[in-house]
Structure formats: C-alpha cells, structure tokens
Amino acid sequence: MDMKKKLYAILLSMGVLSTVPSCDYLDVVPDNIATIEIAFNNRSTALNYLSTLYWYIPETGKIGSDPGMDVGDEIWYYGDRSTDFTNTTTFWISMGRQNTGNPLLDFWNGWNHGKPLFKGLRNCNIFLENIPAVKNMTEQEKAQWAAEAKVIKAYLHFYLMRLYGPIPMMKENIPVTADEDEVRVTRDKIDDIFDYCVRLIDECYEALPLRIENPTADMGRITRPAALAIKAKMLAYAASPFYNGNTAYAGFLNADGEPYFSQTEDIAKWELAADACLEAIECAREAGHDLYEYHNTSSYDLSDETLLELTNRCKITERWTQELLFAVGGNGIRDLQVLSQPWLEANYSADDRYGNAKNGTVAPTLAVAETFYTKNGVPIDEDREWDYPARYETRQATEAEKYYIQPNYTTAKLHFDREPRFYATLGFDGSSWYGIGKLDDDDMWYIQSKAKQTSGKKSNRNYSVTGYFAKKLVNYRNAMVPASIVIREYPFPIIRLADLYLLYAECLNEASQDKGTPPEDCYYYLDKVRKRAGFPDGVRNDWRNHSTNPTKPESYEGFRDIVRRERMIELALEGQRFWDLRRWNIAVEYLNKPMLGWDIEQDKTEDYNKLRTYYIRNYSYRDNLWPLKDYDMIVNPKLEQNPGW
C-alpha cells in the first residue's frame, strides 16, 4: 500500500473522511469547503446539520442494533431461525460469533448495523467550528445548539468507550492535509476520556433549556436535565469497578507503559458521581419531571391490580412522559412491539400467523423471571413465606387471582404471589394480557402458550423459545386484526427518572462504604421507586417483616445487593442490565450461564412446566471489550487490539 492510499485508509477508518461510493481513492479526497459553507449558510441549513448529529446517537430498543437489548441475558431467540424475522447481528454476538476480521455491530467503523460514531464525532466538530458564523440566528440560539452538539459529542465518546474501552478522543478534527504520522492516532486512557466527556457537558449545560417549550417542533432535543443525567451516568460508570481500579487490565498498556485502566480504586469517584446524580435530580424536578403514574381514561372501572400494572407498563410505552429524561430514535419500536406481542386470537389462520407479522419471538429468559420479587417485596429465595424449592412445580389459579392469571388455569408456582412489576413486565402461559382491543379487565386476554395453543409454537419459526413474552414493551392500546397489527410507537428511554433515582442511591451508598451503613437518602430514593412499584412500607420494613435476612438493608454490602437487584427489576428489558453487569464487573458471572426457559415443545401441562436449556453460553472476560477490526490496526499500527482478541 503506497503512502497516499495508506493515509486515506487511516483517515477513513477514523471518520475523518465521509464514506462515499467510489472505486478510486484518489477521487474521494476533495476540498469540501463549499459544501460546509452551504450547510451553514443560514439557520435552516444549520438546523438540518444539527439534526444529523442526533441521528448518530445509537438507537435504543432496536433489536439487532442495540447491544443492551439482546447481547445480555434478558432476551433470547430460537436458534439461527432468528434470521426469519429481523437483523440478527446482536444475537450472533451473544452466541459467541464476535470476531476481529469483520466485527459485528461495528460502531468503530459503522459496519454490520453499527453506526459510524467516529464520523459522528467528526460532524460534531464541524458543527461546533461553523455554528458561530451562521446568519439570522441569535447568540443565545447559537449557544444552545452548540451545547446540544457538545452533549452529543460527549455521549458518542462515552458510548464508544463502553464498547471498546480506551478510544482515541476526537477533540478536534484532523485536517485532510495532515501527514501520515499525525493521523495515526493513539488510544487515550479511560480516566482521561471520562474527564473530557464530563468537562464538555460542564462547559455547556447552562445554555440548554430547562424544558421543551415547543413540543411539536422540538420534542426529543437535549435539555438541561438530560445533559446532567448523562453526566451523572458517565461519572457513575467512572466510579464503577470495571473502570475504577480494574487490575484485570494491569497489563493493558499504552506506548508509554502506562495502564489504560486505573489500577487503584478511588472511592472519591463515587462521591463525584453521587453529587452529579443529585444535581441532575434537582434540575429534573425544577423542570417538572416526576415518576409516571397511570390515570384511567377508559370508560371501565379498573381494578387496583390493573391500574398498577398500567403504571408499570405505560412508564415505558406512553410517549414523552414526565419521567423521560433522554430518548432518541423510535424507528425500531414498531418492530420491537410486533416481536414482543404474542398472538392472542384463537381463530387466526396459519397464513395470518406466519405472514408479515413475526409475533412473540422476543423471549425474556427465566433469569429475568426469577429476578423479580415476591408480592412482599423481597427476593424469591429470601422470602420466609414463599416456597422457593417448589417454584417449578405447578398450581391452579383461583378467581381472586384473575387479574394476573386465568382462573382455574394451571401454571408454574414461580408465577404466583409475585410483585406487580413481574406481571406488568412478563407474559407467560396462563397470564393475563390487558389491552389489545380489550379494555375491560373483567374480560381480558389470557395467554395459552403450550405447543399448538394460540400463543404457543405451531411451526418451526416465530415463537417464544422460553415461553415468556415481553409485555412491558407493548403499548396496551395497540390493535390486532388478521395479518396485521396497528402499533402506537413511543420513544425508547435511554435515561428516565427512576434510573437516576436508583443510580443516586447506588452511588451514595458506595461513597459511604467506609461508614458501613447507607445514608438516609439511599433509602429515600430507593423507596420512591419501590412505592410506585407497589411497596409503600419501605425497603427496611419489607426486609424486616418478610426476609430471612431482615437486617440486609442496614449494611453497605446488603444495600448494594438490593439496589443492584432493584435496577435489574425496575429497568428490566430496557437494555440497562447488560451495561450494568459490565460496569459492576460481574458480566462473566451472569452471562456465562445456560439460557433457560420452559419446554415449549410440549402440549401437556406437566410436560410443558419443566425447565429446558436452550443454549449454553461461553462469555469470557475478553467479551467485556469488543474487538477492533484487524484492518484498522494494519493501517494504524499505533492501535493495540483489546486483550484476549
């Protein structure tokens, strides 16, 4: 490879040049000043450019593009037949097919369903360089738009770092006239990247609006509470064990022999994170954000059970609730809902069922089902009144349980006497499914998912492999007619207020670990989330009254276990658990287990309600950081491959 071609390859791999369809590299290094001048000629064209920056934010909730959704252990699919219904890139990663030759979901280069985030960073820099000169704009508006670009720039750096660890920061664009050595960038240390991202937000957030004043035109744009919530999450990651004193990467060194990851744990990072969380919470409150609660607008009198279920479903599926702090995209949410919705109508033909709508293929795992609390608000293996050893046996539902389980229907004991969020999040054999054309909770749908039943496996494709369905992700106002579904789309959350409350409780507890007991605010914010979920008595009372470990919330270690589990429950199926497991440095423990569910091949109750292993995963420590592409390291020898690849 001659020098000019090698230079172009490095520039292209780092997003310094736009990817264009051309066979001759000599044709794609033009002077693009005229194009940039047009892009920033006036307010309207500059706004279009700003909109493109938002496009680079990776879409959450989009199956096949969001690693948080299905690279972890919350969702599984049936074998390689997943190709029947959607892009399977993330699923292949979870099956151990990630590689260095042609990485899957490649956000470094923008290949295999990953967005080109370095190109996005380049465009952020172009915007920041040119926005000051735009005509017919006030200085205040320029400052606000620049602040949006800076927050996006910080978030893209953060997203890349979560995937790849140390990355080259793109503080400024490398000029096309740079020589070969200048464009051979090096990776930066983790702490330096965190510091830079936080500094970007600190220098601009005050220019952002407290709230969106014109929802029709501006809903979805970054506000001050969103920026501070992103900053808080960044600092929580910086303080977490994977990034804070991770000695597993002691030998992962830069050219100067310095470790990319800090090797000494610094508790002060938790203090910074806790302060940032509180600042974001106070700003969100000032802006009018609050935890969502459902208010009945139907013509039916609904039971307390159904109203609480709708609170715990609609906090996700309602558009732009007061709980939502940061969300983008939504392009994949129609598909997500179709893939999460089981067929409920018994008289649908095979042609309807296996036509265009690939229903019920997003299958939550048994691991998710067992994470939720009992009705007493404690883990199923700690509840003194709950028969944990017999959880896989069966039991018949009573009339009193009809809002959760079909009366007289027999299903696993695991499904009885669970907390309200369990029934709001998961559908299972025998469970109720409110909505989808039935708004009277005395006349609801009930799932029947044994083999050849309405919601069960009838063919070699398009079914829930575990026997569970992602009810939480489906808007109850959707409608089903033969061969089609009418979908109400919603913005999928990146950060919502409950997430921030739990993050604050976690950070504050970690910052106070030397005291041995959690500060009172830890309980206050945890209990705000638990009260909305249906536990009004407080975490300490719930443990004291029902747990085999009644003093658990009183200790630093016990509270850490509780708040982590609370995050897994409250944020279940939202793509957060995958990232949390990694930052807590326990991903190998959780993601290296067999994927379990019910035996959906069976049509008899006693046979169906037996556990079946669908896949045995092989997740190793190297999977905590995704690989760089071999070609990138050929054109830039200063880049080191991540450990283990």
Side-chain angles (χ1 to χ4, degrees):
M1 183 183 293
D2 62 45
M3 185 169 293
K4 285 183 74 176
K5 193 166 185 177
K6 186 182 294 184
L7 177 61
Y8 169 72
I10 299 173
L11 288 167
L12 182 59
S13 70
M14 291 306 301
V16 176
L17 301 176
S18 298
T19 304
V20 296
S22 174
C23 297
D24 186 348
Y25 75 96
L26 294 175
D27 294 337
V28 293
V29 194
D31 184 347
N32 64 349
I33 292 177
T35 303
I36 291 175
E37 287 179 350
I38 293 172
F40 294 94
N41 184 51
N42 57 59
R43 183 185 184 278
S44 178
T45 55
L47 181 58
N48 289 338
Y49 203 102
L50 179 60
S51 298
T52 67
L53 302 187
Y54 276 92
W55 178 87
Y56 285 103
I57 298 175
E59 292 178 90
T60 54
K62 186 173 183 179
I63 297 298
S65 300
D66 179 1
M69 289 300 290
D70 46 12
V71 179
D73 63 344
E74 289 189 292
I75 292 172
W76 203 249
Y77 303 99
Y78 54 87
D80 273 350
R81 293 190 181 276
S82 53
T83 54
D84 290 342
F85 58 83
T86 188
N87 158 41
T88 57
T89 305
T90 45
F91 187 47
W92 287 345
I93 294 173
S94 64
M95 295 178 76
R97 298 185 187 179
Q98 186 59 285
N99 65 95
T100 62
N102 187 23
L104 304 172
L105 211 58
D106 183 358
F107 287 97
W108 191 285
N109 296 287
W111 297 102
N112 289 331
H113 300 282
K115 289 188 175 182
L117 299 194
F118 280 111
K119 183 179 177 182
L121 289 171
R122 168 186 178 266
N123 288 340
C124 287
N125 288 337
I126 290 174
F127 184 88
L128 292 169
E129 291 166 2
N130 289 276
I131 190 64
V134 177
K135 302 172 184 177
N136 69 324
M137 287 184 67
T138 66
E139 293 305 312
Q140 180 181 359
E141 193 171 39
K142 290 179 183 179
Q144 178 188 328
W145 291 16
E148 292 176 67
K150 285 184 178 180
V151 175
I152 293 172
K153 182 178 176 180
Y155 185 75
L156 297 187
H157 274 100
F158 174 59
Y159 199 95
L160 282 163
M161 181 177 59
R162 288 195 301 178
L163 288 173
Y164 301 103
I167 60 168
M169 286 187 282
M170 288 194 67
K171 297 180 180 180
E172 297 176 348
N173 283 342
I174 302 171
V176 178
T177 56
D179 62 34
E180 184 176 353
D181 190 63
E182 287 181 88
V183 299
R184 282 181 167 172
V185 295
T186 58
R187 304 171 79 172
D188 290 294
K189 292 191 287 187
I190 293 294
D191 282 351
D192 292 340
I193 300 168
F194 276 122
D195 290 346
Y196 176 65
C197 292
V198 169
R199 191 164 62 250
L200 271 176
I201 295 176
D202 277 342
E203 67 187 30
C204 75
Y205 73 87
E206 291 182 343
L208 293 165
L210 189 63
R211 61 182 66 86
I212 296 298
E213 301 294 348
N214 185 357
T216 302
D218 297 330
M219 190 60 77
R221 292 176 67 171
I222 293 170
T223 60
R224 201 179 312 159
L228 291 176
I230 293 169
K231 170 189 167 182
K233 182 151 282 196
M234 289 175 178
L235 286 170
Y237 273 70
S240 295
F242 187 76
Y243 301 98
N244 186 9
N246 188 348
T247 56
Y249 289 129
F252 189 21
L253 310 175
N254 64 16
D256 297 324
E258 301 168 330
Y260 284 113
F261 287 76
S262 65
Q263 294 299 292
T264 304
E265 181 184 6
D266 184 359
I267 297 179
K269 292 180 179 179
W270 285 113
E271 297 174 7
L272 290 174
D275 290 344
C277 287
L278 184 58
E279 181 185 21
I281 288 170
E282 291 173 344
C283 183
R285 284 174 173 166
E286 183 184 357
H289 290 284
D290 202 354
L291 295 181
Y292 172 85
E293 288 191 20
Y294 175 82
H295 298 287
N296 188 15
T297 58
S298 77
S299 58
Y300 297 97
D301 291 329
L302 299 179
S303 65
D304 291 341
E305 291 91 338
T306 299
L307 290 172
L308 187 53
E309 175 182 315
L310 289 174
T311 287
N312 284 300
R313 287 176 66 181
C314 295
K315 66 190 178 187
I316 303 300
T317 60
E318 285 295 290
R319 292 180 59 81
W320 304 113
T321 71
Q322 70 269 34
E323 183 166 343
L324 195 59
L325 298 176
F326 181 42
V328 295
N331 291 334
I333 302 308
R334 185 192 184 281
D335 289 344
L336 176 66
Q337 293 190 73
V338 171
L339 296 170
S340 300
Q341 171 69 59
W343 283 109
L344 300 168
E345 179 60 64
N347 62 5
Y348 280 41
S349 70
D351 290 338
D352 294 332
R353 182 184 172 89
Y354 301 115
N356 295 322
K358 317 302 184 189
N359 289 60
T361 47
V362 168
T365 62
L366 185 76
V368 173
E370 295 198 323
T371 299
F372 285 88
Y373 297 133
T374 69
K375 66 180 182 180
N376 296 319
V378 298
I380 58 177
D381 58 346
E382 288 186 38
D383 193 319
R384 297 194 299 261
E385 305 160 28
W386 203 83
D387 192 357
Y388 180 75
R391 65 193 183 281
Y392 302 139
E393 297 175 9
T394 58
R395 171 180 148 188
Q396 189 177 78
T398 66
E399 182 68 22
E401 294 162 320
K402 69 177 183 178
Y403 297 117
Y404 294 144
I405 303 174
Q406 182 176 355
N408 302 317
Y409 200 90
T410 300
T411 186
K413 288 184 178 180
L414 180 68
H415 302 150
F416 288 87
D417 298 321
R418 303 300 297 276
E419 64 157 300
R421 287 176 297 189
F422 175 82
Y423 301 105
T425 302
L426 301 176
F428 52 86
D429 186 42
S431 76
S432 65
W433 194 290
Y434 179 83
I436 315 298
K438 290 192 174 187
L439 301 182
D440 181 355
D441 64 355
D442 286 324
D443 178 28
M444 285 191 290
W445 298 106
Y446 290 101
I447 292 176
Q448 295 185 359
S449 58
K450 290 187 279 294
K452 299 181 181 180
Q453 288 185 325
T454 307
S455 304
K457 182 180 178 182
K458 293 184 178 180
S459 174
N460 288 327
R461 42 184 285 210
N462 305 330
Y463 57 87
S464 166
V465 70
T466 65
Y468 288 106
F469 301 90
K471 184 195 293 188
K472 178 182 184 180
L473 304 180
V474 179
N475 191 313
Y476 80 94
R477 294 189 181 95
N478 293 345
M480 289 199 333
V481 295
S484 68
I485 298 180
V486 178
I487 298 295
R488 292 174 179 258
E489 298 187 32
Y490 56 88
F492 201 85
I494 297 177
I495 306 176
R496 55 186 177 91
L497 193 59
D499 179 357
L500 196 56
Y501 282 171
L502 295 175
L503 202 63
Y504 179 47
E506 176 192 346
C507 293
L508 193 59
N509 181 56
E510 295 290 347
S512 307
Q513 58 186 266
D514 57 336
K515 297 183 176 69
T517 57
E520 195 62 30
D521 261 6
C522 291
Y523 304 114
Y524 176 76
Y525 283 97
L526 179 71
D527 283 339
K528 284 178 75 70
V529 176
R530 287 175 61 88
K531 182 178 180 181
R532 195 263 300 271
F535 302 120
D537 295 335
V539 64
R540 285 174 287 191
N541 285 328
D542 288 339
W543 251 260
R544 189 179 301 118
N545 295 331
H546 302 289
S547 174
T548 56
N549 187 4
T551 62
K552 186 175 182 178
E554 309 289 345
S555 69
Y556 153 70
E557 294 85 357
F559 189 88
R560 178 178 61 185
D561 181 65
I562 290 171
V563 75
R564 286 181 175 184
R565 191 180 192 117
E566 192 71 40
R567 287 186 61 82
M568 293 184 194
I569 293 171
E570 174 64 25
L571 305 173
L573 307 186
E574 295 179 44
Q576 297 289 341
R577 173 169 165 143
F578 169 75
W579 299 112
D580 277 344
L581 292 176
R582 285 163 60 123
R583 73 178 175 90
W584 292 330
N585 210 14
I586 56 175
V588 173
E589 174 188 343
Y590 275 78
L591 304 184
N592 202 28
K593 295 179 180 179
M595 307 305 294
L596 300 175
W598 302 108
D599 193 347
I600 51 94
E601 304 280 352
Q602 307 302 321
D603 59 3
K604 292 183 174 56
T605 298
E606 60 272 20
D607 297 325
Y608 178 93
N609 288 286
K610 293 180 180 178
L611 292 188
R612 180 175 174 181
T613 298
Y614 291 99
Y615 195 80
I616 298 177
R617 295 189 66 173
N618 183 20
Y619 187 99
S620 65
Y621 205 83
R622 76 167 189 172
D623 295 308
N624 287 323
L625 297 180
W626 286 8
L628 277 61
K629 192 173 185 177
D630 290 334
Y631 179 74
D632 290 337
M633 292 179 295
I634 292 173
V635 298
N636 182 5
K638 290 185 179 180
L639 292 176
E640 308 92 341
Q641 183 58 276
N642 278 328
W645 292 98

